[in-house]
Coordinates of all heavy atoms in Angstrom, one line a residue:
M240 N -0.7 -31.2 6.3 CA -1.8 -30.3 6.3 C -1.4 -28.9 6.0 O -0.5 -28.4 6.6 CB -2.6 -30.4 7.6 CG -4.1 -30.1 7.5 SD -4.9 -30.3 9.1 CE -5.0 -28.6 9.6
E241 N -2.2 -28.3 5.2 CA -1.8 -26.9 4.8 C -2.2 -26.0 6.0 O -3.2 -26.1 6.6 CB -2.6 -26.5 3.6 CG -1.9 -25.3 2.8 CD -2.7 -25.0 1.5 OE1 -3.3 -25.9 0.9 OE2 -2.7 -23.8 1.2
K242 N -1.3 -25.1 6.2 CA -1.5 -24.1 7.3 C -2.3 -22.9 6.9 O -2.1 -22.4 5.8 CB -0.2 -23.6 7.9 CG 0.4 -24.6 8.9 CD 1.1 -23.8 10.0 CE 1.5 -24.7 11.2 NZ 2.2 -24.0 12.2
I243 N -3.3 -22.6 7.7 CA -4.1 -21.4 7.3 C -3.4 -20.2 7.9 O -2.9 -20.2 9.0 CB -5.5 -21.5 7.8 CG1 -6.1 -22.9 7.4 CG2 -6.4 -20.4 7.3 CD1 -7.5 -23.2 8.1
L244 N -3.4 -19.1 7.1 CA -2.8 -17.9 7.6 C -3.9 -17.0 8.2 O -5.1 -17.0 7.7 CB -2.1 -17.1 6.5 CG -1.0 -17.9 5.7 CD1 -0.5 -17.0 4.6 CD2 0.1 -18.3 6.7
C245 N -3.6 -16.2 9.2 CA -4.5 -15.2 9.8 C -4.9 -14.2 8.7 O -4.0 -13.7 8.0 CB -3.8 -14.5 10.9 SG -4.7 -13.1 11.5
Y246 N -6.2 -14.0 8.5 CA -6.6 -13.1 7.5 C -6.2 -11.7 7.7 O -6.1 -10.9 6.8 CB -8.2 -13.1 7.4 CG -8.8 -14.3 6.7 CD1 -8.1 -15.4 6.5 CD2 -10.1 -14.2 6.2 CE1 -8.7 -16.5 5.8 CE2 -10.7 -15.2 5.5 CZ -9.9 -16.4 5.3 OH -10.5 -17.4 4.7
S247 N -5.9 -11.4 9.0 CA -5.5 -10.0 9.3 C -4.0 -9.7 9.2 O -3.6 -8.8 8.5 CB -6.0 -9.7 10.7 OG -5.5 -8.5 11.2
C248 N -3.2 -10.5 9.9 CA -1.8 -10.2 9.9 C -1.0 -11.1 8.9 O 0.2 -10.9 8.7 CB -1.2 -10.3 11.3 SG -1.3 -12.0 12.0
N249 N -1.7 -12.1 8.3 CA -1.1 -12.9 7.3 C 0.0 -13.9 7.8 O 0.8 -14.3 7.1 CB -0.5 -12.1 6.1 CG -1.3 -12.2 4.9 OD1 -2.0 -13.2 4.6 ND2 -1.4 -11.1 4.1
K250 N 0.0 -14.1 9.1 CA 1.0 -14.9 9.7 C 0.4 -16.3 9.9 O -0.8 -16.5 10.2 CB 1.5 -14.3 11.0 CG 2.4 -13.2 10.8 CD 2.8 -12.6 12.1 CE 3.6 -11.3 11.9 NZ 3.5 -10.4 13.0
S251 N 1.3 -17.3 9.9 CA 0.9 -18.6 10.2 C 0.9 -18.9 11.7 O 1.9 -18.7 12.3 CB 1.9 -19.6 9.5 OG 1.7 -20.9 10.0
K252 N -0.3 -19.2 12.2 CA -0.4 -19.4 13.7 C -0.9 -20.8 13.9 O -1.6 -21.4 13.1 CB -1.3 -18.4 14.2 CG -1.0 -16.9 14.0 CD 0.0 -16.4 15.0 CE 0.3 -14.9 14.7 NZ 0.6 -14.2 15.9
N253 N -0.6 -21.3 15.1 CA -1.0 -22.6 15.5 C -2.5 -22.6 15.8 O -3.2 -23.6 15.6 CB -0.3 -23.1 16.8 CG 1.1 -23.4 16.5 OD1 1.5 -23.9 15.4 ND2 2.0 -23.1 17.4
K254 N -3.0 -21.5 16.2 CA -4.4 -21.4 16.6 C -5.1 -20.2 15.9 O -4.7 -19.1 16.1 CB -4.6 -21.3 18.1 CG -6.0 -21.6 18.6 CD -6.0 -21.5 20.1 CE -7.5 -21.5 20.6 NZ -8.1 -20.2 20.4
L255 N -6.1 -20.5 15.1 CA -6.9 -19.4 14.5 C -8.3 -19.6 14.9 O -8.9 -20.7 14.9 CB -6.8 -19.4 13.0 CG -5.4 -19.0 12.4 CD1 -5.4 -19.2 10.9 CD2 -5.0 -17.6 12.7
D256 N -9.0 -18.5 15.2 CA -10.4 -18.5 15.5 C -11.2 -18.1 14.3 O -10.8 -17.2 13.6 CB -10.7 -17.6 16.7 CG -10.1 -18.1 18.0 OD1 -10.0 -19.3 18.2 OD2 -9.7 -17.2 18.8
V257 N -12.3 -18.7 14.2 CA -13.3 -18.3 13.1 C -14.1 -17.2 13.8 O -14.7 -17.4 14.8 CB -14.2 -19.4 12.6 CG1 -15.2 -18.9 11.6 CG2 -13.4 -20.5 12.0
K258 N -14.0 -16.0 13.2 CA -14.7 -14.9 13.8 C -15.5 -14.2 12.7 O -15.1 -14.0 11.6 CB -13.6 -13.9 14.3 CG -14.1 -12.8 15.1 CD -12.9 -12.0 15.7 CE -13.3 -10.6 16.1 NZ -13.2 -9.6 15.0
K259 N -16.7 -13.8 13.1 CA -17.5 -13.1 12.2 C -17.0 -11.6 12.1 O -16.7 -11.0 13.1 CB -19.0 -13.0 12.8 CG -20.0 -13.1 11.7 CD -21.4 -13.3 12.4 CE -22.5 -13.5 11.4 NZ -22.9 -12.5 10.5
S260 N -16.9 -11.2 10.8 CA -16.4 -9.8 10.6 C -17.4 -8.8 11.2 O -18.6 -9.1 11.1 CB -16.2 -9.6 9.1 OG -16.1 -8.2 8.9
S261 N -17.0 -7.8 11.8 CA -17.9 -6.8 12.3 C -18.3 -5.8 11.2 O -19.1 -4.9 11.5 CB -17.4 -6.1 13.6 OG -16.1 -5.6 13.3
L262 N -17.6 -5.9 10.1 CA -17.9 -4.9 9.0 C -18.7 -5.5 7.8 O -19.5 -4.9 7.2 CB -16.6 -4.3 8.5 CG -15.8 -3.4 9.5 CD1 -14.4 -3.1 8.9 CD2 -16.6 -2.2 9.7
L263 N -18.4 -6.8 7.5 CA -19.0 -7.4 6.4 C -19.6 -8.8 6.8 O -19.1 -9.3 7.8 CB -18.0 -7.7 5.3 CG -17.3 -6.5 4.6 CD1 -16.2 -6.9 3.6 CD2 -18.4 -5.7 3.8
P264 N -20.6 -9.2 6.1 CA -21.2 -10.5 6.5 C -20.4 -11.7 6.1 O -20.9 -12.5 5.3 CB -22.6 -10.5 5.8 CG -22.4 -9.6 4.6 CD -21.3 -8.6 5.0
I265 N -19.2 -11.8 6.6 CA -18.4 -12.9 6.2 C -17.6 -13.5 7.5 O -17.6 -12.8 8.5 CB -17.3 -12.5 5.2 CG1 -16.5 -11.3 5.6 CG2 -17.9 -12.3 3.8 CD1 -15.3 -11.0 4.8
N266 N -17.2 -14.7 7.4 CA -16.4 -15.2 8.5 C -14.9 -15.1 8.1 O -14.5 -15.3 7.0 CB -16.7 -16.7 8.7 CG -18.0 -16.9 9.4 OD1 -18.4 -16.1 10.2 ND2 -18.8 -17.9 9.0
L267 N -14.1 -14.8 9.2 CA -12.7 -14.6 9.0 C -11.9 -15.6 9.9 O -12.4 -15.9 11.0 CB -12.3 -13.2 9.4 CG -13.1 -12.1 8.8 CD1 -12.9 -10.8 9.6 CD2 -12.7 -11.8 7.4
F268 N -10.7 -16.0 9.4 CA -9.8 -16.7 10.3 C -8.9 -15.7 10.9 O -8.1 -15.0 10.2 CB -9.0 -17.8 9.5 CG -9.8 -19.0 9.2 CD1 -10.3 -19.1 7.9 CD2 -10.1 -19.9 10.1 CE1 -11.1 -20.2 7.5 CE2 -10.9 -21.0 9.8 CZ -11.4 -21.2 8.5
I269 N -9.0 -15.6 12.2 CA -8.2 -14.5 12.9 C -7.4 -15.1 14.1 O -7.9 -16.0 14.8 CB -9.2 -13.5 13.5 CG1 -10.0 -12.7 12.4 CG2 -8.5 -12.4 14.4 CD1 -9.2 -11.7 11.6
C270 N -6.2 -14.7 14.2 CA -5.3 -15.2 15.3 C -5.7 -14.5 16.6 O -6.4 -13.5 16.6 CB -3.8 -15.1 14.9 SG -3.2 -13.4 15.1
E271 N -5.2 -15.1 17.7 CA -5.6 -14.5 19.0 C -5.1 -13.1 19.1 O -5.8 -12.3 19.7 CB -5.0 -15.4 20.1 CG -5.8 -16.6 20.4 CD -5.2 -17.5 21.5 OE1 -3.9 -17.6 21.5 OE2 -5.9 -17.9 22.3
T272 N -3.9 -12.8 18.6 CA -3.4 -11.4 18.8 C -4.3 -10.4 18.1 O -4.6 -9.4 18.7 CB -2.0 -11.4 18.1 OG1 -1.2 -12.5 18.6 CG2 -1.3 -10.1 18.5
C273 N -4.7 -10.7 16.8 CA -5.5 -9.8 16.1 C -6.9 -9.8 16.7 O -7.6 -8.7 16.7 CB -5.6 -10.2 14.6 SG -4.0 -10.0 13.8
S274 N -7.4 -10.9 17.2 CA -8.7 -10.9 17.8 C -8.8 -10.1 19.0 O -9.7 -9.3 19.3 CB -9.1 -12.4 18.1 OG -10.3 -12.5 18.7
F275 N -7.7 -10.2 19.8 CA -7.6 -9.4 21.1 C -7.6 -7.9 20.8 O -8.2 -7.1 21.5 CB -6.4 -9.8 21.8 CG -6.2 -9.1 23.1 CD1 -7.0 -9.5 24.3 CD2 -5.3 -8.1 23.3 CE1 -6.8 -8.8 25.5 CE2 -5.2 -7.4 24.5 CZ -5.9 -7.8 25.6
S276 N -6.9 -7.5 19.7 CA -6.8 -6.1 19.3 C -8.0 -5.6 18.5 O -8.1 -4.5 18.1 CB -5.6 -5.9 18.5 OG -4.4 -6.5 19.1
K277 N -9.0 -6.5 18.3 CA -10.2 -6.2 17.5 C -9.8 -5.8 16.1 O -10.4 -4.9 15.6 CB -11.1 -5.2 18.2 CG -11.7 -5.7 19.5 CD -12.7 -4.7 20.0 CE -13.6 -5.2 21.1 NZ -12.8 -5.3 22.4
F278 N -8.8 -6.4 15.5 CA -8.4 -6.1 14.2 C -9.3 -6.7 13.2 O -9.9 -7.7 13.4 CB -7.0 -6.6 13.9 CG -5.9 -5.7 14.5 CD1 -6.2 -4.7 15.4 CD2 -4.6 -5.8 14.0 CE1 -5.2 -3.8 15.8 CE2 -3.6 -5.0 14.5 CZ -3.9 -4.0 15.4
E279 N -9.4 -6.0 12.0 CA -10.1 -6.6 10.9 C -9.1 -6.6 9.7 O -8.2 -5.7 9.7 CB -11.3 -5.7 10.4 CG -12.5 -5.8 11.4 CD -13.5 -6.9 11.0 OE1 -13.5 -7.4 9.9 OE2 -14.2 -7.3 11.9
P280 N -9.1 -7.5 8.8 CA -8.2 -7.5 7.7 C -8.3 -6.2 6.9 O -9.4 -5.6 6.8 CB -8.6 -8.7 6.8 CG -9.4 -9.6 7.7 CD -10.0 -8.7 8.7
R281 N -7.2 -5.7 6.5 CA -7.1 -4.4 5.7 C -8.1 -4.4 4.6 O -8.8 -3.4 4.3 CB -5.7 -4.2 5.2 CG -5.4 -2.9 4.8 CD -3.9 -2.8 4.4 NE -3.5 -1.5 4.0 CZ -3.7 -1.0 2.7 NH1 -4.3 -1.8 1.8 NH2 -3.4 0.2 2.4
W282 N -8.2 -5.5 3.8 CA -9.0 -5.5 2.6 C -10.5 -5.5 3.0 O -11.4 -5.0 2.3 CB -8.7 -6.7 1.7 CG -8.8 -8.1 2.4 CD1 -7.8 -8.7 3.1 CD2 -9.9 -9.0 2.5 NE1 -8.2 -9.9 3.5 CE2 -9.5 -10.1 3.2 CE3 -11.2 -8.9 2.0 CZ2 -10.4 -11.2 3.5 CZ3 -12.1 -9.9 2.3 CH2 -11.7 -11.1 3.0
V283 N -10.8 -6.1 4.2 CA -12.2 -6.0 4.6 C -12.6 -4.6 4.9 O -13.7 -4.1 4.6 CB -12.4 -6.9 5.9 CG1 -13.7 -6.6 6.6 CG2 -12.3 -8.4 5.5
I284 N -11.7 -3.8 5.6 CA -12.0 -2.4 5.9 C -12.2 -1.6 4.6 O -13.1 -0.8 4.5 CB -10.8 -1.8 6.7 CG1 -10.8 -2.6 8.1 CG2 -11.1 -0.3 7.0 CD1 -9.6 -2.2 8.9
I285 N -11.3 -1.9 3.6 CA -11.4 -1.2 2.3 C -12.8 -1.5 1.6 O -13.5 -0.6 1.1 CB -10.2 -1.5 1.4 CG1 -9.0 -0.9 2.1 CG2 -10.4 -0.9 0.0 CD1 -7.7 -1.3 1.4
L286 N -13.1 -2.8 1.6 CA -14.3 -3.2 0.9 C -15.5 -2.7 1.6 O -16.5 -2.2 1.0 CB -14.4 -4.8 0.9 CG -13.7 -5.5 -0.2 CD1 -13.9 -7.0 0.0 CD2 -14.1 -5.1 -1.6
A287 N -15.5 -2.7 2.9 CA -16.7 -2.2 3.7 C -16.8 -0.7 3.5 O -17.9 -0.1 3.4 CB -16.5 -2.5 5.2
G288 N -15.6 0.0 3.4 CA -15.6 1.4 3.2 C -16.1 1.8 1.9 O -16.8 2.8 1.7
R289 N -15.8 1.0 0.9 CA -16.3 1.3 -0.5 C -17.8 1.0 -0.6 O -18.5 1.7 -1.3 CB -15.6 0.4 -1.5 CG -14.2 0.9 -1.8 CD -13.5 0.0 -2.8 NE -12.1 0.4 -3.0 CZ -11.3 -0.3 -3.7 NH1 -11.6 -1.4 -4.3 NH2 -10.1 0.2 -3.9
S290 N -18.3 0.0 0.1 CA -19.7 -0.4 -0.1 C -20.6 0.4 0.9 O -21.8 0.7 0.5 CB -19.9 -1.9 0.0 OG -19.5 -2.3 1.3
K291 N -20.1 0.7 2.1 CA -21.0 1.3 3.0 C -20.6 2.8 3.4 O -21.3 3.4 4.2 CB -21.0 0.5 4.3 CG -21.5 -0.9 4.1 CD -21.5 -1.7 5.4 CE -22.0 -3.1 5.2 NZ -22.0 -3.9 6.4
G292 N -19.5 3.2 2.8 CA -19.1 4.6 3.0 C -18.0 4.7 4.1 O -17.9 3.9 5.0
P293 N -17.2 5.7 3.9 CA -16.0 5.9 4.8 C -16.4 6.0 6.3 O -15.6 5.6 7.1 CB -15.4 7.2 4.3 CG -15.9 7.4 2.9 CD -17.2 6.8 2.9
D294 N -17.5 6.6 6.6 CA -17.9 6.8 8.0 C -18.1 5.4 8.7 O -17.8 5.3 9.9 CB -19.3 7.5 8.1 CG -19.0 9.0 8.0 OD1 -17.9 9.4 8.1 OD2 -20.0 9.8 8.0
H295 N -18.4 4.4 7.9 CA -18.7 3.1 8.5 C -17.4 2.5 9.0 O -17.4 1.7 9.9 CB -19.3 2.2 7.4 CG -19.8 0.9 7.9 ND1 -21.0 0.8 8.6 CD2 -19.3 -0.3 7.8 CE1 -21.2 -0.4 9.0 NE2 -20.2 -1.2 8.5
V296 N -16.3 2.8 8.4 CA -15.0 2.2 8.8 C -14.0 3.2 9.4 O -12.9 2.9 9.7 CB -14.3 1.6 7.5 CG1 -15.1 0.5 7.0 CG2 -14.0 2.6 6.5
K297 N -14.5 4.4 9.7 CA -13.7 5.5 10.2 C -13.0 5.1 11.5 O -11.8 5.3 11.6 CB -14.6 6.7 10.5 CG -13.9 8.0 10.5 CD -15.0 9.1 10.6 CE -14.4 10.3 11.3 NZ -15.5 11.3 11.5
E298 N -13.7 4.4 12.4 CA -13.1 4.0 13.7 C -11.9 3.1 13.5 O -10.9 3.2 14.2 CB -14.2 3.4 14.5 CG -13.9 3.4 16.0 CD -14.8 2.6 16.8 OE1 -16.1 2.8 16.6 OE2 -14.4 1.9 17.7
F299 N -12.1 2.2 12.5 CA -11.0 1.2 12.3 C -9.8 2.0 11.7 O -8.6 1.6 12.1 CB -11.4 0.2 11.3 CG -12.3 -0.9 11.9 CD1 -13.7 -0.6 12.1 CD2 -11.8 -2.0 12.4 CE1 -14.5 -1.6 12.7 CE2 -12.6 -3.0 13.0 CZ -14.0 -2.8 13.1
I300 N -10.0 2.9 10.9 CA -8.9 3.6 10.3 C -8.2 4.6 11.3 O -7.0 4.6 11.4 CB -9.4 4.4 9.0 CG1 -9.8 3.3 8.0 CG2 -8.3 5.3 8.5 CD1 -10.4 3.9 6.7
V301 N -9.0 5.3 12.1 CA -8.5 6.3 13.0 C -7.7 5.5 14.1 O -6.6 5.9 14.5 CB -9.7 7.1 13.7 CG1 -9.2 7.9 14.8 CG2 -10.3 8.0 12.6
K302 N -8.3 4.4 14.6 CA -7.6 3.7 15.7 C -6.6 2.7 15.1 O -6.0 1.9 15.9 CB -8.7 3.0 16.5 CG -9.5 3.9 17.3 CD -10.5 3.2 18.2 CE -11.3 4.2 19.0 NZ -12.5 3.6 19.7
R303 N -6.5 2.6 13.8 CA -5.6 1.7 13.1 C -5.7 0.3 13.5 O -4.7 -0.4 13.9 CB -4.1 2.2 13.3 CG -3.4 2.4 12.0 CD -1.9 2.7 12.2 NE -1.3 2.9 10.9 CZ -0.9 1.9 10.1 NH1 -1.1 0.7 10.4 NH2 -0.3 2.2 8.9
R304 N -7.0 -0.2 13.4 CA -7.2 -1.5 13.8 C -7.1 -2.5 12.6 O -8.0 -3.2 12.3 CB -8.6 -1.6 14.5 CG -8.6 -1.3 15.9 CD -10.0 -0.9 16.5 NE -11.0 -1.9 16.3 CZ -12.2 -1.8 16.6 NH1 -12.6 -0.7 17.2 NH2 -13.1 -2.7 16.4
Y305 N -5.9 -2.5 12.0 CA -5.6 -3.4 10.9 C -4.1 -3.5 10.8 O -3.3 -2.6 11.4 CB -6.2 -2.8 9.6 CG -5.8 -1.4 9.2 CD1 -4.7 -1.2 8.4 CD2 -6.5 -0.3 9.7 CE1 -4.3 0.1 8.1 CE2 -6.1 0.9 9.4 CZ -5.0 1.1 8.6 OH -4.6 2.4 8.3
V306 N -3.6 -4.4 10.1 CA -2.2 -4.6 9.8 C -1.9 -4.2 8.4 O -2.6 -4.5 7.5 CB -1.8 -6.1 10.0 CG1 -0.3 -6.3 9.7 CG2 -2.1 -6.5 11.5
G307 N -0.8 -3.5 8.2 CA -0.4 -3.2 6.8 C -0.2 -1.7 6.6 O -0.2 -0.9 7.6
N308 N -0.1 -1.3 5.4 CA 0.1 0.1 5.0 C -1.1 0.9 5.4 O -2.2 0.4 5.4 CB 0.4 0.3 3.5 CG 1.7 -0.4 3.1 OD1 2.6 -0.4 4.0 ND2 1.8 -0.8 1.9
E309 N -0.9 2.1 5.7 CA -2.0 3.0 6.0 C -3.0 3.1 4.9 O -2.7 3.1 3.7 CB -1.5 4.4 6.2 CG -2.4 5.3 7.1 CD -1.8 6.6 7.4 OE1 -0.5 6.7 7.6 OE2 -2.5 7.6 7.5
I310 N -4.3 3.0 5.3 CA -5.4 3.1 4.3 C -5.6 4.5 3.9 O -6.0 5.3 4.8 CB -6.7 2.4 4.8 CG1 -6.4 0.9 5.1 CG2 -7.8 2.6 3.8 CD1 -7.6 0.2 5.8
S311 N -5.5 4.9 2.7 CA -5.7 6.3 2.3 C -7.1 6.5 1.8 O -7.8 5.5 1.5 CB -4.7 6.6 1.2 OG -5.0 5.9 0.0
A312 N -7.6 7.7 1.9 CA -8.9 8.1 1.5 C -9.2 7.6 0.1 O -10.4 7.2 -0.2 CB -9.1 9.5 1.7
S313 N -8.3 7.7 -0.8 CA -8.5 7.3 -2.2 C -8.8 5.9 -2.3 O -9.5 5.4 -3.3 CB -7.3 7.7 -3.1 OG -6.2 7.1 -2.6
E314 N -8.3 5.0 -1.4 CA -8.6 3.6 -1.5 C -10.0 3.3 -1.2 O -10.5 2.2 -1.5 CB -7.6 2.9 -0.6 CG -6.3 2.7 -1.1 CD -5.4 1.9 -0.2 OE1 -4.9 2.6 0.8 OE2 -5.2 0.7 -0.4
L315 N -10.7 4.2 -0.5 CA -12.1 4.0 -0.1 C -13.0 4.4 -1.2 O -14.2 4.2 -1.1 CB -12.4 4.7 1.2 CG -11.6 4.2 2.4 CD1 -11.9 5.0 3.6 CD2 -11.8 2.7 2.7
L316 N -12.5 5.1 -2.2 CA -13.4 5.5 -3.3 C -13.3 4.5 -4.4 O -12.3 3.9 -4.7 CB -12.9 6.9 -3.8 CG -12.8 8.0 -2.8 CD1 -12.1 9.2 -3.4 CD2 -14.2 8.4 -2.3
V317 N -14.5 4.3 -5.0 CA -14.6 3.3 -6.0 C -14.1 3.9 -7.4 O -14.4 5.0 -7.7 CB -16.0 2.8 -6.2 CG1 -16.0 1.6 -7.2 CG2 -16.5 2.3 -4.9
Ligands
LIG486 ZN1 -3.3 -12.2 13.1

């Protein structure tokens, strides 16, 4: 069986929860660690920032609630 990777940290975990994104109307597979930290996948934050405006995702960026390289302001511009 193919292992599903956590949408947020991209790691293969034994247990992933299906969690509704708090930024976009989609479901995410999130591991317990990311779920506990209230992380959203980096690309979800960027997409939400582009469609709803930087203010919408500001908290996630300021509190760094994602895994990966820092999201720059230019990435939020279309
Ligand atoms: Zn994770």
Side-chain angles (χ1 to χ4, degrees):
M240 205 177 101
E241 206 177 324
K242 276 212 169 184
I243 308 171
L244 303 178
C245 169
Y246 279 23
S247 169
C248 63
N249 254 328
K250 284 176 188 155
S251 167
K252 302 272 180 151
N253 290 326
K254 191 176 169 287
L255 290 175
D256 293 327
V257 180
K258 189 176 161 273
K259 215 171 184 295
S260 167
S261 51
L262 291 171
L263 295 173
I265 52 170
N266 285 323
L267 308 164
F268 286 102
I269 296 285
C270 74
E271 277 181 318
T272 313
C273 293
S274 179
F275 181 77
S276 311
K277 293 192 169 72
F278 277 15
E279 289 273 336
R281 194 177 181 277
W282 56 270
V283 167
I284 297 173
I285 293 172
L286 278 181
R289 284 179 183 174
S290 60
K291 299 178 180 180
D294 275 354
H295 193 74
V296 297
K297 206 170 148 189
E298 202 186 314
F299 283 84
I300 293 174
V301 170
K302 293 183 177 167
R303 234 183 181 286
R304 276 160 57 182
Y305 57 92
V306 176
N308 294 331
E309 201 173 326
I310 298 174
S311 64
S313 60
E314 281 180 280
L315 297 178
L316 303 172
V317 185

